[in-house]
């Protein structure tokens, strides 16, 4: 039956599997809220649109389904643009739906008016479009969900004029049959097989897009060594003896890569934030596998390029090699272990004191724990040295590099995995960007440990200034009493004085029935 378009959109989203929407209602988008409960969708009320966006991001990373957010015209959209930029950088499927003013060219001074909010959003997402009719709105939503499946997943924005949201509209059409992704067949992997037949020291580099359970089997069969990017951690794990871990950014990794006689990079941009150098360091032929043609055409200049889904590529490759005799490797476990020991020592020397805390945490965490970290020195150490038991269980704002990500993203992740352990890690400065979302975690009764690494300053920036021979300036800010702050929101708060006490506090926090802020300082060591 006919309903206002805002209500029809909620029903359309539910028909496409959306169970949760994150957002904040306002007079300009209230029509979008008319149909939420009727459609059977849960709404999570954020304290700030930035928090809503990070929650949608965290939900998407935890579930694999698009995170959806509702925001108002103007400031609501501009507030969520930072999470949209982060989701674009890290290939996270997110759909942001906003209202917009009916007329802006001939009128000035309206509530929430921006000069061009569609164009503003387009700067930080895959695409931003205006739906001026119900038919256009339905078509854009359908397009977004189709592209989430078939293309590199990235955020989309759809805005609809207020009068159009209020107007009666027919129901949305039922979901289409999703498009199919082309199979990877024997001829597609044949060029790689030819190179693998003569390679003695093949090296695979697996990124966040290389999702498959087959990689360790493939690596063992080929006698291949492997690096992962930060986003690819867990694809290989700690038990594979020829795994170099997520140490691509260590200067010595270029020398190791140069010693390979074949490099295969799958599902990775090999971006600046992966390498912190311009060139990977390879001298041998390179094979690239990726969904994104822009990645295949980058400055690394791959010898062979295959535009394909990484999971289908892994399956096709395994089908061709699984019955072959296992190759003798030109790599040795000893050389890999020696390199990793050296790099761990470098990481510990650069940011002393954090590695022992990581080891203590790792001892007591369940392998089912999903972790969300912020831009903080603690995470920079952890994402280098902490081998994950499975992929996509540690989420970090790698590319865009925004502060304030961890807490709201962890809330979204916990909503997406009810009853499963979720943890946030933040620094004292970045935590204050979105600390108001503590109220959401308390309202939802989330047993969410929030590890707060408090060194009393912007330590990474201070270190960078000193390295550049700049007198440190504006790197120290007065912090609140974080424990009292958490308690004021209704959360629990702990300040352990030793690593053993930290472990006990953390174990208790996972069953607390409310969030627990765990205040860690270098002095606890």
């Amino acid at each position: 039956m006919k309903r206002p378009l805002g209500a029809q959109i909620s029903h359309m989203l539910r028909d496409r599997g959306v169970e949760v929407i994150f957002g904040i209602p306002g007079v300009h988008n209230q029509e979008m809220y008319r149909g939420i409960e009727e459609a059977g969708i849960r709404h999570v009320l954020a304290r700030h649109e930035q928090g809503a966006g990070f929650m949608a991001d965290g939900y998407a990373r935890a579930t694999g389904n698009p995170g959806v957010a509702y925001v108002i015209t103007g400031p609501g959209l501009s507030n969520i643009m930072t999470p949209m930029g982060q989701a674009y950088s890290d290939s996270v499927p997110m759909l942001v739906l906003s209202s917009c003013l009916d007329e802006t060219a001939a009128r000035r001074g309206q509530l929430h008016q921006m000069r061009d909010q569609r164009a503003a959003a387009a700067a930080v997402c895959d695409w931003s479009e205006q739906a001026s009719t119900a038919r256009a709105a339905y078509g854009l939503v359908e397009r977004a969900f189709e592209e989430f499946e078939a293309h590199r997943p990235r955020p989309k924005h759809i805005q609809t004029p207020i009068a159009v949201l209020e107007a009666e509209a027919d129901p949305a059409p039922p979901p289409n049959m999703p498009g199919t992704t082309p199979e990877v067949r024997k001829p597609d992997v044949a060029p790689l097989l030819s190179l693998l037949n003569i390679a003695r020291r093949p090296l695979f580099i697996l990124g966040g897009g290389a999702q498959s359970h087959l990689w360790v089997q493939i690596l063992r069969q080929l006698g291949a060594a492997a690096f992962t990017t930060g986003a690819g951690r867990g694809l290989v794990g700690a038990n594979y003896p020829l795994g170099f871990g997520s140490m691509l950014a260590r200067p010595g990794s270029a020398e190791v890569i140069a010693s390979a006689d074949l490099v295969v990079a799958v599902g990775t941009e090999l971006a600046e934030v992966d390498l912190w150098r311009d060139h990977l360091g390879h001298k041998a032929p390179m094979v690239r596998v990726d969904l994104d043609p822009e990645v295949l055409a980058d400055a690394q200049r791959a010898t062979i390029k295959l535009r394909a889904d990484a999971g289908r590529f892994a399956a096709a490759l395994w089908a061709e090699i699984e019955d072959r005799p296992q190759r003798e490797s030109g790599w040795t476990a000893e050389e890999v272990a020696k390199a990793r020991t050296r790099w761990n020592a470098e990481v510990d020397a650069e940011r002393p004191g954090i590695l022992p805390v990581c080891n203590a945490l790792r001892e007591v965490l369940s392998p089912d724990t999903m972790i969300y970290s912020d831009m903080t020195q603690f995470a920079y150490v952890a994402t280098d040295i902490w081998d994950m038991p499975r992929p996509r269980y540690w989420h970090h704002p790698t590319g865009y590099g925004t502060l304030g990500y961890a807490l709201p993203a962890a809330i979204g992740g916990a909503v997406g995995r009810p009853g499963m352990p979720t943890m946030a890690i933040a620094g004292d400065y970045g935590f204050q960007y979105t600390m108001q979302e503590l109220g959401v975690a308390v309202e939802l009764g989330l047993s969410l440990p929030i590890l707060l690494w408090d060194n009393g300053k912007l330590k990474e920036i201070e270190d960078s200034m000193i390295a550049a021979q700049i007198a440190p300036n504006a790197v120290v800010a007065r912090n609140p009493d974080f424990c009292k702050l958490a308690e004021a929101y209704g959360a629990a708060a702990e300040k352990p004085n030793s690593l053993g006490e930290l472990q006990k506090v953390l174990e208790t926090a996972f069953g607390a029935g409310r969030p627990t802020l765990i205040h860690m300082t270098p002095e606890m060591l």
Side-chain angles (χ1 to χ4, degrees), residues 169-207:
D170 290 320
N176 283 334
M177 178 72 70
T180 58
T181 303
E183 293 287 344
V184 180
R185 305 186 185 278
K186 183 175 180 177
D188 299 318
V189 299
L192 171 59
L193 290 171
S194 297
L195 292 173
L196 286 169
N197 286 337
I198 59 174
R200 290 196 67 254
R201 285 171 65 87
L203 175 68
F204 280 68
I205 299 174
L206 305 175

Side-chain angles (χ1 to χ4, degrees), residues 349-352 354 375-378 380 427-430 453-467 472 474-477 522:
E350 290 168 0
R351 301 182 178 101
I354 297 175
M375 299 295 287
T376 170
Q377 283 194 327
F378 193 96
Y380 305 155
D428 57 297
Y429 197 83
W453 180 250
D454 182 3
N455 54 22
K457 60 179 67 176
L458 287 160
K459 187 68 169 64
E460 187 74 5
I461 309 307
E462 181 184 66
D463 291 349
S464 180
M465 285 180 165
I466 291 171
V475 294
V476 177

Side-chain angles (χ1 to χ4, degrees), residues 57 67 80-96 121-122 124-128 144 147-148 152-158:
D57 174 298
I80 205 172
M81 282 172 59
T82 295
M84 291 168 69
Q86 188 63 62
Y88 181 88
S89 181
D90 287 353
S91 300
V92 177
M94 181 194 299
L95 180 60
V96 175
V124 290
C125 66
D126 194 17
W127 49 258
S128 172
E147 291 181 9
F148 288 144
R152 183 175 181 176
R154 277 176 157 162
K156 332 283 186 183
H157 166 242
I158 302 170

